[in-house]
Amino acid sequence: MIGREELQALVPHHGAMCLWDRVLDWNAARIRLATDGHRDPAHPLRSDGRLRALHLCEYGAQAMAVHGGLRGRAAGVPVRAGMLVALRGVRLRVDRIDTLLGELVCEAEALAETADSQQYAFRILHAGDLLAEGRATVKLDVAPP
């Protein structure tokens, strides 16, 4: 298992903006992560005291970033930053997540990859129930020379 400190070394998201606490398992094609930070009253994505389900898209995007960081580290290549450019097929099954007791778990799977982009499918679960699912595309920054 990969803890929060090691996880933060893999991605550009630090402090409270790093939404995942640990990696449960991963391989070259997929990753599973967990967190219970969604209940934190100081969560950086809260507004009006609530954390809306729409923010689960950011959880999915950060799962992609963690997976990319792990894959890069395993291959011995520098990790390239990216920008979320598209969300497709997003389905949210709850309105908010700050009231949910226990952990959130994300399952993300790489669907397609080119030299300049990656597409993943993600699912966010709570106590075995599906909260959100969708696909996300990231455009990667230019590779260093």
Side-chain angles (χ1 to χ4, degrees):
M1 184 169 59
I2 296 168
R4 187 169 176 82
E5 189 172 311
E6 185 178 353
L7 190 151
Q8 287 188 76
L10 298 169
V11 296
H13 310 90
H14 295 103
M17 200 51 217
C18 180
L19 301 178
W20 294 108
D21 292 329
R22 67 189 175 286
V23 175
L24 301 173
D25 58 67
W26 74 282
N27 60 34
R30 58 183 46 96
I31 189 167
R32 287 182 63 241
L33 306 99
T35 187
D36 62 1
H38 59 287
R39 300 201 58 218
D40 183 350
H43 194 290
L45 298 177
R46 275 187 185 244
S47 62
D48 299 324
R50 295 179 177 193
L51 185 58
R52 290 166 176 77
L54 177 62
H55 294 104
L56 292 172
C57 294
E58 177 64 20
Y59 280 80
Q62 284 196 25
M64 295 170 62
V66 172
H67 192 242
L70 288 168
R71 290 174 58 198
R73 184 174 73 177
V77 298
V79 178
R80 292 167 55 195
M83 181 187 325
L84 182 64
V85 295
L87 291 167
R88 301 271 191 250
V90 173
R91 285 184 271 207
L92 305 173
R93 291 177 165 65
V94 294
D95 292 327
R96 55 192 283 203
I97 60 173
D98 54 289
T99 60
L100 300 174
L101 301 176
E103 293 187 319
L104 301 179
V105 173
C106 178
E107 300 169 346
E109 179 180 4
L111 300 175
E113 186 171 21
T114 69
D116 298 327
S117 67
Q118 297 173 330
Q119 184 182 65
Y120 277 72
F122 66 88
R123 295 167 27 100
I124 313 285
L125 302 120
H126 173 263
D129 294 328
L130 182 63
L131 301 179
E133 63 185 332
R135 295 181 316 280
T137 303
V138 169
K139 172 123 176 72
L140 299 171
D141 289 346
V142 175

